[in-house]
């Protein structure tokens, strides 16, 4: 048969198709077979497949609901499926944590690089500031010396000129 017990760990979308599990298995077995499906064919399987596909029986929209799943599977099967589901959920959770940790690690590395670049820029600006400050101090001292010379020239000029 197409669906083995190992495949039972994955839920078929019964609630989306409106077919029962048995009907889906039968349909899939017809699709796997090499027999052509036509209403004029003499084989029993193809006639059943066509009548199955052409049937106008109403299908309940809640056929694949949780309640019907509980009726189909035994307690051990449900426990096994729940355990498999929990393992898969734990695996996805570990994967999300690992991705989150990688993202945070990448962010830390990026911010560390950016921090180092900013420190380098601050250091460069501080060096430029120190150079400009020294030039400014030199210009101030030259300015004071020039003001002193200018003041001496005014006094000399004032004493030389008659009143």
């Amino acid at each position: 048969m197409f669906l083995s017990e190992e495949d039972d760990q994955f839920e078929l979308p019964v609630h989306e198709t409106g077919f029962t599990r048995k009907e889906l298995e039968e349909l899939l077995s017809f699709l796997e077979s090499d027999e052509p499906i036509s209403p004029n064919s003499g084989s029993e399987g193809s006639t059943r497949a066509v009548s199955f596909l052409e049937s106008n029986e109403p299908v309940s929209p809640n056929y694949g609901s949780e309640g019907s799943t509980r009726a189909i599977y035994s307690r051990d099967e449900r426990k096994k499926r729940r355990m498999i589901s929990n393992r898969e959920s734990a695996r996805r959770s570990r994967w999300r944590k690992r991705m989150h940790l990688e993202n945070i690690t990448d962010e830390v590395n990026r911010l560390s690089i950016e921090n180092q670049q900013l420190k380098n820029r601050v250091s460069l600006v501080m060096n430029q500031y120190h150079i400009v400050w020294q030039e400014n101090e030199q210009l101030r001292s030259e300015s004071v010396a020039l003001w002193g010379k200018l003041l001496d020239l005014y006094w000399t000029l004032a004493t030389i000129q008659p009143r």
Side-chain angles (χ1 to χ4, degrees), residues 19 27 60-61 77 79 87 94-95 106 121 124 133 144:
F19 294 117
L27 181 60
S60 169
E77 288 173 332
K79 187 176 181 180
R87 283 181 185 157
R94 286 189 302 271
W95 181 82
D106 291 345
R121 285 178 59 192
L124 180 65
W133 182 78
V144 169

Side-chain angles (χ1 to χ4, degrees), residues 3-18:
L3 297 173
S4 66
E5 287 186 24
E6 295 170 4
D7 292 333
D8 283 345
Q9 65 181 341
F10 302 107
E11 284 288 331
L12 291 174
V14 175
H15 61 282
E16 294 175 2
T17 62

